[in-house]
PDB file of all heavy atoms in Angstrom:
ATOM      1  N   ILE A 185     -13.236  -0.608  11.650  1.00 98.00           N
ATOM      2  CA  ILE A 185     -13.171  -1.695  10.659  1.00 98.00           C
ATOM      3  C   ILE A 185     -14.263  -2.702  11.012  1.00 98.00           C
ATOM      4  O   ILE A 185     -14.214  -3.343  12.061  1.00 98.00           O
ATOM      5  CB  ILE A 185     -11.784  -2.372  10.663  1.00 98.00           C
ATOM      6  CG1 ILE A 185     -10.681  -1.345  10.363  1.00 98.00           C
ATOM      7  CG2 ILE A 185     -11.753  -3.527   9.677  1.00 98.00           C
ATOM      8  CD1 ILE A 185      -9.262  -1.907  10.399  1.00 98.00           C
ATOM      9  N   GLN A 211     -16.839 -30.727  -4.920  1.00 98.00           N
ATOM     10  CA  GLN A 211     -17.412 -29.912  -3.847  1.00 98.00           C
ATOM     11  C   GLN A 211     -16.410 -29.876  -2.698  1.00 98.00           C
ATOM     12  O   GLN A 211     -16.043 -30.942  -2.173  1.00 98.00           O
ATOM     13  CB  GLN A 211     -18.748 -30.484  -3.346  1.00 98.00           C
ATOM     14  CG  GLN A 211     -19.348 -29.591  -2.265  1.00 98.00           C
ATOM     15  CD  GLN A 211     -20.671 -30.079  -1.715  1.00 98.00           C
ATOM     16  OE1 GLN A 211     -20.962 -31.270  -1.768  1.00 98.00           O
ATOM     17  NE2 GLN A 211     -21.452 -29.161  -1.173  1.00 98.00           N
ATOM     18  N   GLY A 213     -14.798 -30.051   0.773  1.00 98.00           N
ATOM     19  CA  GLY A 213     -15.293 -30.743   1.961  1.00 98.00           C
ATOM     20  C   GLY A 213     -14.392 -30.509   3.159  1.00 98.00           C
ATOM     21  O   GLY A 213     -13.170 -30.564   3.050  1.00 98.00           O
ATOM     22  N   GLU A 238     -23.554 -22.402   4.314  1.00 98.00           N
ATOM     23  CA  GLU A 238     -24.041 -21.158   3.686  1.00 98.00           C
ATOM     24  C   GLU A 238     -23.369 -20.864   2.352  1.00 98.00           C
ATOM     25  O   GLU A 238     -23.939 -20.178   1.504  1.00 98.00           O
ATOM     26  CB  GLU A 238     -23.845 -19.976   4.648  1.00 98.00           C
ATOM     27  CG  GLU A 238     -24.942 -19.927   5.703  1.00 98.00           C
ATOM     28  CD  GLU A 238     -24.641 -18.974   6.849  1.00 98.00           C
ATOM     29  OE1 GLU A 238     -23.586 -18.310   6.832  1.00 98.00           O
ATOM     30  OE2 GLU A 238     -25.454 -18.919   7.777  1.00 98.00           O
ATOM     31  N   GLN A 254      -6.274 -41.558  22.298  1.00 98.00           N
ATOM     32  CA  GLN A 254      -5.671 -40.807  21.189  1.00 98.00           C
ATOM     33  C   GLN A 254      -5.653 -41.610  19.883  1.00 98.00           C
ATOM     34  O   GLN A 254      -5.927 -41.068  18.812  1.00 98.00           O
ATOM     35  CB  GLN A 254      -4.253 -40.390  21.577  1.00 98.00           C
ATOM     36  CG  GLN A 254      -3.531 -39.624  20.491  1.00 98.00           C
ATOM     37  CD  GLN A 254      -2.268 -38.982  20.992  1.00 98.00           C
ATOM     38  OE1 GLN A 254      -2.316 -38.006  21.716  1.00 98.00           O
ATOM     39  NE2 GLN A 254      -1.128 -39.534  20.612  1.00 98.00           N
ATOM     40  N   ILE A 292      -2.404 -35.113  10.564  1.00 98.00           N
ATOM     41  CA  ILE A 292      -3.227 -34.585   9.452  1.00 98.00           C
ATOM     42  C   ILE A 292      -2.329 -34.420   8.223  1.00 98.00           C
ATOM     43  O   ILE A 292      -1.197 -33.920   8.343  1.00 98.00           O
ATOM     44  CB  ILE A 292      -3.837 -33.204   9.833  1.00 98.00           C
ATOM     45  CG1 ILE A 292      -4.743 -33.330  11.062  1.00 98.00           C
ATOM     46  CG2 ILE A 292      -4.585 -32.595   8.657  1.00 98.00           C
ATOM     47  CD1 ILE A 292      -5.235 -31.984  11.600  1.00 98.00           C
ATOM     48  N   LYS A 296      -4.120 -31.041   3.807  1.00 98.00           N
ATOM     49  CA  LYS A 296      -5.493 -30.895   4.322  1.00 98.00           C
ATOM     50  C   LYS A 296      -5.530 -30.118   5.648  1.00 98.00           C
ATOM     51  O   LYS A 296      -6.588 -29.955   6.251  1.00 98.00           O
ATOM     52  CB  LYS A 296      -6.123 -32.291   4.525  1.00 98.00           C
ATOM     53  CG  LYS A 296      -6.298 -33.072   3.221  1.00 98.00           C
ATOM     54  CD  LYS A 296      -7.162 -34.310   3.390  1.00 98.00           C
ATOM     55  CE  LYS A 296      -7.325 -35.040   2.057  1.00 98.00           C
ATOM     56  NZ  LYS A 296      -8.310 -36.135   2.110  1.00 98.00           N
ATOM     57  N   ILE A 333      -4.397  -0.454   4.240  1.00 98.00           N
ATOM     58  CA  ILE A 333      -3.501   0.016   5.300  1.00 98.00           C
ATOM     59  C   ILE A 333      -2.079  -0.440   4.952  1.00 98.00           C
ATOM     60  O   ILE A 333      -1.848  -1.630   4.762  1.00 98.00           O
ATOM     61  CB  ILE A 333      -3.944  -0.549   6.669  1.00 98.00           C
ATOM     62  CG1 ILE A 333      -5.284   0.099   7.056  1.00 98.00           C
ATOM     63  CG2 ILE A 333      -2.883  -0.316   7.739  1.00 98.00           C
ATOM     64  CD1 ILE A 333      -5.993  -0.565   8.204  1.00 98.00           C
ATOM     65  N   GLY A 402      -3.480   7.977  15.900  1.00 98.00           N
ATOM     66  CA  GLY A 402      -3.555   7.606  14.480  1.00 98.00           C
ATOM     67  C   GLY A 402      -3.191   6.156  14.190  1.00 98.00           C
ATOM     68  O   GLY A 402      -3.263   5.715  13.035  1.00 98.00           O
ATOM     69  N   VAL A 408      -7.787  -8.701  18.840  1.00 98.00           N
ATOM     70  CA  VAL A 408      -8.129 -10.105  18.591  1.00 98.00           C
ATOM     71  C   VAL A 408      -8.901 -10.703  19.777  1.00 98.00           C
ATOM     72  O   VAL A 408      -9.659 -11.653  19.636  1.00 98.00           O
ATOM     73  CB  VAL A 408      -6.849 -10.934  18.296  1.00 98.00           C
ATOM     74  CG1 VAL A 408      -7.177 -12.397  18.047  1.00 98.00           C
ATOM     75  CG2 VAL A 408      -6.102 -10.354  17.102  1.00 98.00           C
ATOM     76  N   ASP A 415     -20.940  -9.752  33.533  1.00 95.00           N
ATOM     77  CA  ASP A 415     -22.345  -9.467  33.182  1.00 95.00           C
ATOM     78  C   ASP A 415     -22.789 -10.200  31.909  1.00 95.00           C
ATOM     79  O   ASP A 415     -23.889  -9.975  31.403  1.00 95.00           O
ATOM     80  CB  ASP A 415     -22.574  -7.953  33.040  1.00 95.00           C
ATOM     81  CG  ASP A 415     -21.792  -7.339  31.872  1.00 95.00           C
ATOM     82  OD1 ASP A 415     -21.136  -8.105  31.125  1.00 95.00           O
ATOM     83  OD2 ASP A 415     -21.837  -6.103  31.707  1.00 95.00           O
ATOM     84  N   CYS A 451     -11.927 -20.125   3.363  1.00 98.00           N
ATOM     85  CA  CYS A 451     -11.009 -19.789   2.277  1.00 98.00           C
ATOM     86  C   CYS A 451      -9.940 -20.881   2.136  1.00 98.00           C
ATOM     87  O   CYS A 451      -9.647 -21.335   1.022  1.00 98.00           O
ATOM     88  CB  CYS A 451     -10.383 -18.426   2.590  1.00 98.00           C
ATOM     89  SG  CYS A 451      -9.307 -17.832   1.321  1.00 98.00           S
TER      90      CYS A 451
END
Side-chain angles (χ1 to χ4, degrees):
I185 302 178
Q211 182 180 25
E238 280 168 2
Q254 179 168 287
I292 299 173
K296 296 192 179 188
I333 292 167
V408 180
D415 65 4
C451 183

